[in-house]
Amino acid sequence: MKILLCFFVLIPVARCQDVREEIITKTLRFPASGPERSLLVDNVQGSIVVTAYEGETVEMTAVRRTRAKSDEKFREASEDVVLEIQELRSRIELVVDAPWRNRWNRHDFRGYRYYGYEVSFDFELKVPRSLNLYLHTVNDGDIEVRDVSGSFEIKNVNGDVTMTEISGSGHASTVNGSLRVGFKMNPAEECTFRTVNGSVEVSFRDPFSADLFLKTLNGKAYTDFDVTAVPRTVPAIREKRGKKIYRAGDAYAVRAGRGGPRLAFDTLNGSIHILKHQ
C-alpha cells in the first residue's frame, strides 16, 4: 500500500512570518512478522530520532516545516515536496520526495532563493526493538538511535550520528559531524564507523574481542582495552613508468582479546576513541 502525503492530517500549529509548521502522526504496521522486518527513513532536511519499545507497530510523528516567500510558494511546496509512505510485507519506507532529488542523496537542490521555498521534516519514531534500520538525512539534522538490537545502516551528511544501548551490527557514517555509538551487547558481525570532519567515539562491553582497523589522518586513536598489533597484509604492488610502487595501506590493525569481527574506524579530521562501556 502506498500513500502520498502532502497535507495528511497536517494540523497547522504555528505560523511565524514565512514559516508554517505541521504535524503528521501515523501508526504503521507490518503485514508479516519475522527477523527480516526493516524500516527505511530517507530524509533530505531534518532530524531522525528512533527509539525502541515493546510493541509491534511503528509509531511515527513527523514535524514538517515549510518556509516560503509567498502563499503561492507555500502551495507550490505542498505539491512538490511530499512524504511517501509504503507499508510492504516485511518493511516500512518513509521517503521525502521532491523534484530535485532521487533516493539516497542523489539530488540537485538549488536552495531557497531559487525555489522560493524550503521544506524540512523532523521524524520521531517508536519501533519494535529487533527492527533493522536504514536511516538517511542530509542537512539541518542529527540522527539518534536508542536501544535497538537489529542491524543498521545509518548515513548523515551535515550532522551528528548518536547511537546508544545498541545490540546489533552494521554501518554508521556522516561527513561533517561526530559519530558516537554505545553498545549494550558487543557486535557479532562486521561494523564500520566513519566520518570525515569529526571524531569517532565507540564504547563496548568488557570483555571485548575483535579485530580493529583504525584510520585517521589529522588525529590520534585511543583505546581503553589492551590490544596487540596485527601483521599487515601483503602490500599492493603496481607499476608506473617501469617502477614498482608498494602501498601497505593507511589503516593500522590491532586485536582486542582473542580477536573477532572486523570493526573499522575511520576519520580524516578527528580522533578515534574506543572505550569501555560505563
Side-chain angles (χ1 to χ4, degrees):
M1 179 174 65
K2 183 174 181 179
I3 304 173
L4 298 181
L5 293 182
C6 292
F7 282 96
F8 171 81
V9 179
L10 297 188
I11 307 167
V13 297
R15 179 173 180 176
C16 180
Q17 295 178 349
D18 62 348
V19 177
R20 296 179 186 177
E21 185 175 290
E22 302 149 349
I23 297 176
I24 307 165
T25 59
K26 190 170 178 64
T27 296
L28 305 168
R29 294 177 171 85
F30 294 95
S33 60
E36 300 302 319
R37 293 185 305 173
S38 62
L39 169 68
L40 178 148
V41 183
D42 190 0
N43 199 5
V44 180
Q45 293 198 183
S47 61
I48 303 172
V49 178
V50 176
T51 304
Y53 82 115
E54 300 299 333
E56 292 300 316
T57 61
V58 172
E59 302 296 327
M60 181 197 80
T61 299
V63 179
R64 171 179 175 139
R65 294 180 179 86
T66 304
R67 184 166 68 102
K69 294 180 178 179
S70 64
D71 287 341
E72 180 180 352
K73 287 297 182 181
F74 275 114
R75 288 191 293 270
E76 188 176 323
S78 70
E79 296 173 358
D80 288 353
V81 184
V82 297
L83 174 59
E84 297 183 354
I85 296 179
Q86 294 191 76
E87 294 171 283
L88 304 173
R89 181 171 177 81
S90 61
R91 67 184 189 274
I92 291 172
E93 296 186 356
L94 311 176
V95 179
V96 178
D97 198 12
W100 58 80
R101 66 156 300 180
N102 293 315
R103 282 189 168 186
W104 296 105
N105 199 25
R106 296 171 185 160
H107 61 91
D108 185 21
F109 181 59
R110 295 181 174 87
Y112 177 80
R113 295 180 63 183
Y114 178 81
Y115 293 100
Y117 64 78
E118 186 177 69
V119 180
S120 67
F121 282 85
D122 290 326
F123 290 93
E124 289 193 14
L125 301 117
K126 293 171 61 178
V127 305
R129 196 172 310 280
S130 61
L131 201 62
N132 303 315
L133 298 178
Y134 299 83
L135 310 178
H136 179 231
T137 192
V138 180
N139 293 316
D140 300 328
D142 300 331
I143 297 179
E144 298 180 30
V145 179
R146 306 178 187 128
D147 206 20
V148 298
S149 60
S151 63
F152 55 86
E153 183 176 296
I154 313 297
K155 296 181 180 180
N156 202 346
V157 177
N158 296 308
D160 296 339
V161 172
T162 302
M163 307 177 71
T164 56
E165 298 298 296
I166 303 302
S167 301
S169 304
H171 310 281
S173 68
T174 185
V175 178
N176 298 307
S178 296
L179 188 65
R180 297 180 182 87
V181 181
F183 281 92
K184 180 167 63 175
M185 183 180 296
N186 291 338
E189 299 179 4
E190 177 180 330
C191 295
T192 59
F193 309 97
R194 179 176 292 113
T195 185
V196 176
N197 299 308
S199 61
V200 175
E201 181 180 298
V202 187
S203 62
F204 300 94
R205 296 285 179 172
D206 196 15
F208 173 52
S209 292
D211 291 328
L212 314 178
F213 293 79
L214 314 172
K215 181 180 177 182
T216 180
L217 182 63
N218 299 309
K220 296 181 179 180
Y222 307 88
T223 178
D224 289 342
F225 298 95
D226 293 330
V227 296
T228 56
V230 174
R232 294 192 177 194
T233 57
V234 177
I237 303 175
R238 64 185 179 92
E239 290 192 5
K240 184 177 181 181
R241 296 178 181 177
K243 295 182 179 180
K244 293 183 178 180
I245 300 174
Y246 296 83
R247 181 175 176 83
D250 298 321
Y252 182 75
V254 296
R255 176 163 294 162
R258 300 181 303 275
R262 185 185 193 278
L263 308 180
F265 309 81
D266 187 350
T267 179
L268 183 66
N269 299 307
S271 293
I272 297 169
H273 299 263
I274 302 171
L275 309 174
K276 290 184 180 180
H277 193 288
Q278 299 297 322

